[in-house]
């Protein structure tokens, strides 16, 4: 009976130790249906379609919401329906984008660009409005050769204006966590302990079995 109890204790200890040693990464954290990816390059372009027309570069250190993975592309959403902005759905190449578990406080860039309109009537005798300044929502920069243009939204219409307008504040990129110096050694030690506990339990059961056989033989 003592040997049986000892074997049972060893088996229970091995099972509980193995369960408690599961990698933490297997435990779900948060809602996996909403993911974000950060632009770690100034040339991560937002496309209207896969291999389609590039509209603008995602502002550096800001994010897109990843809706779906399509090969080497992400289907993404940029910006929100808020204030001057409205959200856009399109595609970005994976290269240059870094998936993040926790997006920064400012997920999307919120920046307005003032555009000046000037009406030239060509007639000095008639009054004109002169210069008219309007605020537009800045989405990103499109580099075309040696020229730079800004993709903006005004009066529910998207268009380009001259200039890069890339003088915006950047999000802080957190340092990458240091890897565990000896992850494999710790896992090997736990595996060895589990094997030893199971082996001890098996030996105890074998001793109990043969002891019982011997006792029956002597009684016979």
């Amino acid at each position: 009976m003592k040997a049986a109890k000892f074997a049972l204790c060893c088996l229970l200890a091995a099972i509980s130790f193995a369960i408690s040693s599961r990698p933490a990464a297997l435990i779900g954290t948060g809602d996996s249906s909403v993911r974000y990816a950060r632009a770690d390059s100034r040339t991560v372009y937002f496309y209207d379609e896969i291999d389609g027309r590039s509209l603008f570069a995602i502002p550096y250190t800001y994010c897109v919401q990843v809706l779906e993975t399509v090969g080497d592309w992400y289907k993404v959403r940029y910006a929100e329906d808020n204030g001057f902005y409205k959200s856009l759905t399109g595609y970005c190449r994976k290269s240059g984008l870094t998936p993040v578990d926790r997006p920064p406080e400012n997920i999307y860039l919120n920046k307005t660009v003032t555009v000046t309109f000037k009406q030239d009537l060509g007639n000095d005798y008639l009054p004109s409005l002169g210069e008219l300044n309007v605020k537009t929502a800045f989405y990103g920069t499109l580099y075309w050769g040696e020229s730079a243009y800004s993709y903006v939204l005004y009066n529910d219409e998207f268009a380009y204006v001259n200039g890069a307008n890339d003088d915006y504040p950047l999000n802080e990129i957190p340092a990458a966590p240091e890897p565990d110096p000896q992850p494999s050694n710790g896992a090997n030690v736990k595996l060895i302990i589990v094997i030893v506990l199971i082996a001890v339990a098996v030996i105890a059961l074998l001793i109990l079995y043969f002891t019982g056989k011997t006792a029956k033989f002597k009684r016979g």
Side-chain angles (χ1 to χ4, degrees):
M1 288 298 292
K2 291 184 179 180
K5 290 181 179 180
F6 178 72
L8 181 60
C9 290
C10 289
L11 284 173
L12 291 176
I15 293 171
S16 61
F17 190 84
I19 293 174
S20 63
S21 302
R22 290 181 305 172
L26 297 180
I27 302 175
T29 55
D31 184 2
S32 61
S33 63
V34 178
R35 296 187 301 149
Y36 293 91
R38 184 183 61 236
D40 287 344
S41 167
R42 294 184 181 272
T43 56
V44 179
Y45 281 96
F46 182 97
Y47 292 78
D48 56 351
E49 297 288 346
I50 294 179
D51 289 326
R53 183 169 62 99
S54 58
L55 301 180
F56 59 92
I58 302 298
Y60 180 54
T61 71
Y62 289 84
C63 296
V64 293
Q65 182 182 350
V66 178
L67 304 177
E68 185 181 352
T69 300
V70 186
D72 295 331
W73 295 77
Y74 287 134
K75 184 179 181 180
V76 301
R77 178 182 292 119
Y78 181 74
E80 295 178 333
D81 297 329
N82 185 19
F84 288 96
Y85 283 87
K86 68 178 182 180
S87 65
L88 286 178
T89 301
Y91 296 85
C92 289
R93 295 183 184 273
K94 290 181 180 179
S95 57
L97 285 173
T98 302
V100 292
D101 295 329
R102 294 183 179 180
E105 180 180 357
N106 299 313
I107 300 175
Y108 311 114
L109 176 63
N110 191 339
K111 174 183 173 68
T112 58
V113 173
T114 300
V115 179
T116 301
F117 296 96
K118 184 176 181 180
Q119 180 69 41
D120 186 4
L121 298 178
N123 188 326
D124 296 335
Y125 294 98
L126 299 177
S128 67
L129 293 176
E131 293 184 352
L132 182 63
N133 297 321
V134 298
K135 288 186 176 181
T136 63
F138 172 79
Y139 280 74
T141 306
L142 177 68
Y143 298 95
W144 193 296
E146 297 182 355
S147 300
Y149 306 93
S150 294
Y151 194 65
V152 298
L153 173 65
Y154 174 69
N155 199 22
D156 287 334
E157 291 188 8
F158 289 97
Y160 292 95
V161 296
N162 285 316
N165 292 295
D166 54 3
D167 55 340
Y168 47 80
L170 303 180
N171 284 320
E172 183 179 354
I173 299 178
E178 295 184 0
D180 189 351
Q182 293 180 339
S184 59
N185 290 347
N188 290 339
V189 169
K190 291 179 181 179
L191 179 60
I192 291 172
I193 293 174
V194 172
I195 293 174
V196 169
L197 288 174
I198 293 175
V200 171
V202 171
I203 292 172
L205 289 175
L206 289 175
I207 293 174
L208 178 64
Y209 174 76
F210 285 110
T211 301
K213 294 285 286 185
T214 303
K216 289 180 181 179
F217 177 74
K218 288 181 177 180
R219 284 196 299 269

